[in-house]
Amino acid sequence: SPEASSGAGHEAAEAFARVEAARAGEPQDFEWVARRRDGSTFPAEVRLRRLEGPEAGGRVLAVVRDLTEEKRRQEELRAQERLAALGRLAAGVAHDFNNLLTPICLYPEMLRDLPGLPERARRALGVIEAQGKRAAKLVRQLLDFGRGSVLRREILDVGGFVTDAAEMLRHTLPDSVRLEMEVRAQDVRVEADPVQLQQVLVNLAVNARDAMPEGGTVTLAVDRVGPGSLPAEPGAPDEGEWCRITVADTGEGIPADVLPRIFEPFFTTRAPGEGTGLGLSQVHGLVAEHGGHITVESEPGRGTTFRVYLPCRGTEPEGQKKGETG
Ligand SMILES: Nc1ncnc2c1ncn2[C@@H]1O[C@H](COP(=O)(O)OP(=O)(O)O)[C@@H](O)[C@H]1O
Ligand SMILES: [Mg+2]
């Protein structure tokens, strides 16, 4: 009924005019904030048409389509595009910085061994060199998630890979943090760059550690999930099998207002000098480059769970079966 679209209250006059225009024979297509019986509102697409025929009696047909889901997808897509743009920007800045840093790292090295250089100057040059190298390392991290980084992909058995990574991580975690490893499916294979996949695990584990200053448990898990298990994402094809790597902690969690921003480059809640805000944006970039997806779920006070989905590969490396001639 036409009343369905007249609920916006403050614009009742416009709604009325639309219905009248439709009644007069002018089809009306427009977006509207529609109101449900319970008073809540939703974005809607409204089409008004005059019913033709002798029995129609000047009645108007209204078709109201709920746009909530569509709007949400658009918003998500925009957020992803913003993220990708920021990533490219960061990579561009990183590239220029890399060039600027080269002499800053090299000259101290050259000057340090000049004969007759006062000890104080030598020490200062050492500091410049060390800090320059730290900056260069940071910049390399930045460059990593900008596209164009060279991938050396191979077929990896994820259960084994993550188990090995867990061994390595165990040594970097304080005693108060327990690390549990659960391989829930065997022979789960993906095509990935091992260095980058390791970086993903390290970044997530470091964040988990930081979220548990009083200690707790990090759980790493690997399993395989079928088509349709990806959480809704715009444009995400969800046909094949996914390898799912879970990194869960029992830490402080992430407040709901912070959650949407955590993958942004430079976003950090840590004290100045303590966080770069690049860890998760790097993770996001690396996962995307592998054709994967990452999701996060968090409950403040209880913990956070990141899930990385990578497309599963068969046992044989696909590149060797096809593509090459001769
Ligand atoms: N496991 C986690 N538990 C709680 N908060 C987290 C977790 N992982 C990430 N965060 C939040 O996301 C922010 C961004 O993380 P990240 O990109 O790694 O940058 P950084 O660690 O340098 O702050 C962190 O500052 C923190 O607020
Ligand atoms: Mg971090």
Side-chain angles (χ1 to χ4, degrees):
S1 73
E3 293 92 84
S5 61
S6 66
H10 55 291
E11 283 168 17
E14 191 197 332
F16 189 70
R18 293 263 192 197
V19 174
E20 282 311 306
R23 207 192 302 281
E26 260 179 75
Q28 302 287 312
D29 296 326
F30 54 98
E31 285 193 13
W32 198 252
V33 181
R35 195 179 297 273
R36 297 188 186 88
R37 233 178 265 280
D38 66 5
S40 62
T41 59
F42 62 96
E45 176 195 76
V46 182
R47 291 161 183 268
L48 302 179
R49 298 285 185 279
R50 182 175 68 188
L51 288 174
E52 303 297 340
E55 319 85 75
R59 272 180 294 175
V60 171
L61 171 75
V63 179
V64 179
R65 191 161 68 90
D66 188 342
L67 295 179
T68 308
E69 183 64 7
E70 198 171 308
K71 296 261 183 217
R72 192 188 61 79
R73 277 166 187 266
Q74 276 172 6
E75 185 44 50
E76 239 172 70
L77 192 62
R78 261 197 297 276
Q80 282 191 351
E81 278 164 1
R82 253 195 326 262
L83 211 56
L86 272 168
R88 280 194 296 276
L89 178 71
V93 171
H95 188 262
D96 286 347
F97 255 89
N98 215 19
N99 291 339
L100 294 171
L101 283 170
T102 307
I104 297 179
C105 295
L106 281 180
Y107 277 107
E109 215 177 315
M110 283 161 53
L111 296 175
R112 221 176 25 195
D113 301 324
L114 271 189
L117 194 67
E119 184 50 34
R120 260 181 64 200
R122 192 189 315 279
R123 271 207 305 274
L125 286 171
V127 173
I128 294 173
E129 188 187 341
Q131 296 294 319
K133 284 190 171 151
R134 266 186 64 189
K137 194 172 149 204
L138 191 64
V139 162
R140 222 170 301 123
Q141 255 194 345
L142 255 177
L143 276 170
D144 269 352
F145 71 76
R147 287 202 165 268
S149 53
V150 191
L151 284 176
R152 279 174 298 99
R153 293 211 179 145
E154 45 190 275
I155 303 287
L156 297 173
D157 170 51
V158 182
F161 185 84
V162 177
T163 305
D164 289 347
E167 264 324 298
M168 185 268 302
L169 288 170
R170 222 168 240 134
H171 297 295
T172 70
L173 296 172
D175 290 341
S176 59
V177 172
R178 266 218 337 229
L179 193 147
E180 288 186 353
M181 177 72 223
E182 296 173 15
V183 180
R184 297 175 189 149
Q186 299 301 322
D187 295 328
V188 185
R189 292 188 167 77
V190 299
E191 189 175 352
D193 180 324
V195 178
Q196 296 190 327
L197 190 54
Q198 173 136 330
Q199 190 71 53
V200 166
L201 297 174
V202 168
N203 289 6
L204 292 177
V206 165
N207 282 346
R209 179 200 66 195
D210 293 344
M212 302 186 291
E214 316 287 327
T217 305
V218 187
T219 306
L220 288 176
V222 173
D223 55 3
R224 182 176 19 220
V225 293
S229 27
L230 273 192
E233 242 185 277
D238 189 4
E239 283 140 24
E241 301 239 288
W242 297 95
C243 158
R244 179 169 64 186
I245 304 173
T246 305
V247 181
D249 67 59
T250 57
E252 59 205 11
I254 306 173
D257 59 322
V258 170
L259 202 58
R261 302 200 56 197
I262 57 170
F263 292 107
E264 285 176 19
F266 305 114
F267 176 81
T268 180
T269 57
R270 308 192 199 289
E274 274 177 28
T276 60
L278 290 176
L280 285 180
S281 67
Q282 185 184 36
V283 167
H284 187 277
L286 292 176
V287 169
E289 261 187 274
H290 282 80
H293 302 273
I294 182 165
T295 66
V296 58
E297 244 176 76
S298 190
E299 207 180 318
R302 310 213 68 173
T304 304
T305 301
F306 286 90
R307 293 190 179 88
V308 173
Y309 295 83
L310 299 173
C312 273
R313 283 294 132 87
T315 322
E316 294 163 62
E318 283 188 40
Q320 285 168 21
K321 284 194 295 187
K322 52 182 182 191
E324 268 154 6
T325 45

